[in-house]
Amino acid sequence: MKNLLLIFILSTLCFSCKSPEARMPESVQSGSFLKASAERNKKLNEHERQQIQDIIKSNPNKNYIASESGFWYYYNTKIENDTIQPQFGSVINFTYDISNLEGDEIYAKTTKTYVMDKEELFTGLREGLKLLKPSETATFIFPSQKAFGYYGDEYKIGTNIPLICEVTLNTIIEKND
């Protein structure tokens, strides 16, 4: 009986011990998620571009300028003779408001002091401020990727919302070199 039990245990150990076998993956990822995401973003960008073009067409009396950075703007007040513009490190004071493409106000006029490129500010507004001179006012139309993008601002601006901002550069307080 002991021999039979010993043979059973040894045979169980011999046959149950084998090296692990590689398993096939349950799902194969071939980059399809990235392709689908890129396709979604292209459609979103095209939809936003069309909305913005519709706004531009509906305001033929405004001289819209397409920026190199991917947003549109026109000057409400343009100063021709002043050549100073904000640079990296300039301390500026500006007033702005934010609305959606339908014109619904999201944030009312707010005045802010900001150090150029050294503090947090959404991409489009940061780039737009560099185009202004003191006392100039411009209205910017930012597609969502130049505004708050996918995440929004966690308060009033949701996911992928294009924005209209009216911005006045009040003063350039100092320029740090």
Side-chain angles (χ1 to χ4, degrees), residues 154-168:
E154 299 178 1
Y155 300 106
K156 293 183 177 183
I157 300 172
T159 299
N160 296 323
I161 303 293
L163 301 174
I164 298 175
C165 296
E166 185 177 301
V167 181
T168 301

Side-chain angles (χ1 to χ4, degrees), residues 101-168:
L101 293 185
E102 290 77 34
D104 301 324
E105 186 178 83
I106 299 173
Y107 289 110
K109 284 217 180 279
T110 304
T111 300
K112 181 174 178 133
T113 299
Y114 169 73
V115 180
M116 287 300 298
D117 297 327
K118 290 188 176 185
E119 296 179 43
E120 284 293 316
L121 198 61
F122 70 88
T123 306
L125 185 54
R126 185 174 60 240
E127 293 169 356
L129 283 167
K130 292 176 184 176
L131 301 172
L132 298 177
K133 300 171 189 167
S135 301
E136 282 187 331
T137 300
T139 299
F140 297 93
I141 303 178
F142 300 115
S144 62
Q145 71 269 17
K146 287 293 178 179
F148 289 93
Y150 178 76
Y151 295 104
D153 75 342
E154 299 178 1
Y155 300 106
K156 293 183 177 183
I157 300 172
T159 299
N160 296 323
I161 303 293
L163 301 174
I164 298 175
C165 296
E166 185 177 301
V167 181
T168 301

Side-chain angles (χ1 to χ4, degrees), residues 30-44:
S30 62
S32 60
F33 173 77
L34 293 177
K35 289 178 186 174
S37 178
E39 193 59 37
R40 261 191 322 273
N41 285 335
K42 285 179 186 178
K43 288 179 182 176
L44 174 68

Side-chain angles (χ1 to χ4, degrees), residues 6 15 22 32 41-42 57 65 70-71 73 83-84 87 98 113 119 122 128 140 149 159 168:
L6 185 59
F15 292 111
S32 60
N41 285 335
K42 285 179 186 178
K57 287 177 187 173
I65 302 166
F71 57 86
Y73 66 101
T83 58
I84 187 170
Q87 303 295 320
I98 299 176
T113 299
E119 296 179 43
F122 70 88
F140 297 93
T159 299
T168 301

